[in-house]
Short mmCIF file of all heavy atoms in Angstrom, two decimals:
data_model
loop_
_atom_site.label_atom_id
_atom_site.label_comp_id
_atom_site.label_asym_id
_atom_site.label_seq_id
_atom_site.Cartn_x
_atom_site.Cartn_y
_atom_site.Cartn_z
N LYS J 4 84.42 114.74 142.39
CA LYS J 4 83.94 113.63 141.57
C LYS J 4 84.65 113.57 140.22
O LYS J 4 84.66 112.54 139.62
CB LYS J 4 82.41 113.85 141.34
CG LYS J 4 81.62 113.73 142.69
CD LYS J 4 80.18 113.85 142.47
CE LYS J 4 79.39 113.65 143.76
NZ LYS J 4 77.97 113.76 143.52
N THR J 19 88.15 112.04 134.14
CA THR J 19 86.99 111.21 134.07
C THR J 19 85.94 111.77 135.06
O THR J 19 86.29 112.28 136.11
CB THR J 19 87.20 109.74 134.33
OG1 THR J 19 87.79 109.60 135.67
CG2 THR J 19 88.13 109.13 133.35
N LEU J 28 71.72 113.87 127.39
CA LEU J 28 71.77 115.18 128.10
C LEU J 28 73.19 115.64 128.40
O LEU J 28 73.56 116.82 128.33
CB LEU J 28 70.91 115.16 129.36
CG LEU J 28 69.38 115.20 129.15
CD1 LEU J 28 68.70 115.16 130.49
CD2 LEU J 28 68.97 116.40 128.35
N PHE J 65 84.50 130.57 122.95
CA PHE J 65 83.75 131.14 124.03
C PHE J 65 84.72 132.05 124.88
O PHE J 65 85.87 132.01 124.81
CB PHE J 65 83.15 130.02 124.85
CG PHE J 65 84.02 129.34 125.86
CD1 PHE J 65 84.18 129.86 127.19
CD2 PHE J 65 84.75 128.22 125.58
CE1 PHE J 65 85.01 129.27 128.10
CE2 PHE J 65 85.51 127.59 126.47
CZ PHE J 65 85.72 128.19 127.76
N VAL J 74 87.06 140.72 129.82
CA VAL J 74 87.27 139.29 129.43
C VAL J 74 88.27 138.68 130.36
O VAL J 74 89.42 139.22 130.49
CB VAL J 74 87.63 139.20 127.96
CG1 VAL J 74 88.04 137.74 127.58
CG2 VAL J 74 86.60 139.70 127.02
N ASN J 88 76.62 112.12 120.63
CA ASN J 88 76.41 111.25 121.74
C ASN J 88 77.55 110.18 121.93
O ASN J 88 77.39 109.25 122.67
CB ASN J 88 75.09 110.46 121.66
CG ASN J 88 73.92 111.44 121.69
OD1 ASN J 88 73.91 112.40 122.44
ND2 ASN J 88 72.95 111.19 120.88
N THR J 129 104.19 119.73 125.54
CA THR J 129 105.30 119.19 126.42
C THR J 129 104.74 118.88 127.76
O THR J 129 103.64 119.28 128.17
CB THR J 129 106.37 120.29 126.59
OG1 THR J 129 105.81 121.41 127.36
CG2 THR J 129 106.88 120.83 125.30
N SER J 142 92.13 121.39 138.48
CA SER J 142 91.27 120.30 138.79
C SER J 142 90.06 120.75 139.72
O SER J 142 88.98 120.27 139.51
CB SER J 142 92.06 119.12 139.46
OG SER J 142 92.69 119.57 140.64
N GLN J 153 76.16 119.13 136.25
CA GLN J 153 75.21 118.12 136.83
C GLN J 153 73.96 118.81 137.38
O GLN J 153 72.80 118.44 136.98
CB GLN J 153 75.92 117.42 138.01
CG GLN J 153 74.99 116.45 138.73
CD GLN J 153 74.60 115.18 137.97
OE1 GLN J 153 75.36 114.51 137.46
NE2 GLN J 153 73.30 114.98 137.84
#
Side-chain angles (χ1 to χ4, degrees):
K4 295 181 179 182
T19 57
L28 286 181
F65 79 88
V74 174
N88 298 320
T129 66
S142 60
Q153 175 71 55

